[in-house]
């Protein structure tokens, strides 16, 4: 039997407090200092658990990569009827659009870069529970 585990996606950045606040506001979550002073956690009531780590030598990723290599990104599920509002919210918080064309219906996927340059997607899905 497997030992119970939790997973936390950790994003590197140069300004961890600012990036933590970006994701907390975007996801309706809260921030708290991690056990390491270079780590801030983003915790939400609906199971959201991310962390950001201050990396003093951080260089933002590029998207899309010229060689079409896979790259990790967050997928944030949003009901189809809320996609436009979620896009306005993300941009208002400092996200940079990468590819935001409306792909229509349940296949609508819109890509952005967070303030530190990590890519994330707003993805049309069934309404959140």
């Amino acid at each position: 039997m497997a030992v119970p585990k939790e997973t936390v996606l950790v994003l590197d950045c140069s300004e961890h407090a600012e990036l933590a606040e970006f994701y907390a506001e975007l996801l309706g979550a809260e921030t708290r200092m991690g056990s390491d002073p270079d780590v801030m956690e983003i915790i939400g009531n609906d199971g959201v658990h991310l962390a950001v780590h201050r990396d003093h030598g951080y260089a933002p990723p590029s998207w899309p990569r010229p060689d079409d290599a896979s790259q990790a990104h967050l997928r944030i599920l949003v009901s189809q009827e809320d996609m436009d509002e979620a896009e306005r919210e993300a941009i208002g918080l400092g996200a940079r659009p990468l590819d935001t064309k409306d792909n229509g219906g349940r296949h609508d996927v819109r890509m952005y870069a967070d303030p530190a340059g990590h890519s994330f997607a707003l993805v049309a899905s069934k309404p959140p529970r």
Side-chain angles (χ1 to χ4, degrees), residues 5-127:
K5 299 171 184 69
E6 266 186 56
T7 59
V8 177
L9 175 63
V10 180
L11 301 172
D12 289 339
C13 62
S14 60
E15 302 294 335
H16 70 319
E18 289 83 356
L19 190 61
E21 192 59 36
F22 169 82
Y23 279 110
E25 288 191 36
L26 182 65
L27 299 172
E30 296 179 3
T31 62
R32 71 178 182 205
M33 185 62 72
S35 56
D36 176 334
D38 284 333
V39 174
M40 292 201 65
E41 297 179 346
I42 300 97
I43 308 293
N45 293 332
D46 294 327
V48 173
H49 194 169
L50 299 172
V52 291
H53 171 258
R54 179 174 33 215
D55 178 347
H56 298 284
Y58 177 73
S62 62
W63 188 93
R65 294 183 55 151
D67 57 1
D68 290 329
S70 293
Q71 180 178 343
H73 69 274
L74 296 174
R75 290 178 66 93
I76 300 171
L77 306 178
V78 179
S79 64
Q80 178 60 45
E81 52 273 2
D82 292 332
M83 284 291 285
D84 292 337
E85 181 61 27
E87 177 175 76
R88 285 189 291 276
E89 185 177 72
I91 292 169
L93 290 168
R96 180 174 47 88
L98 298 173
D99 178 8
T100 60
K101 64 180 177 285
D102 181 340
N103 297 304
R106 59 191 179 108
H107 300 291
D108 194 3
V109 177
R110 304 179 193 183
M111 296 296 301
Y112 307 85
D114 69 23
H118 305 103
S119 56
F120 70 93
L122 294 176
V123 180
S125 71
K126 295 178 182 175

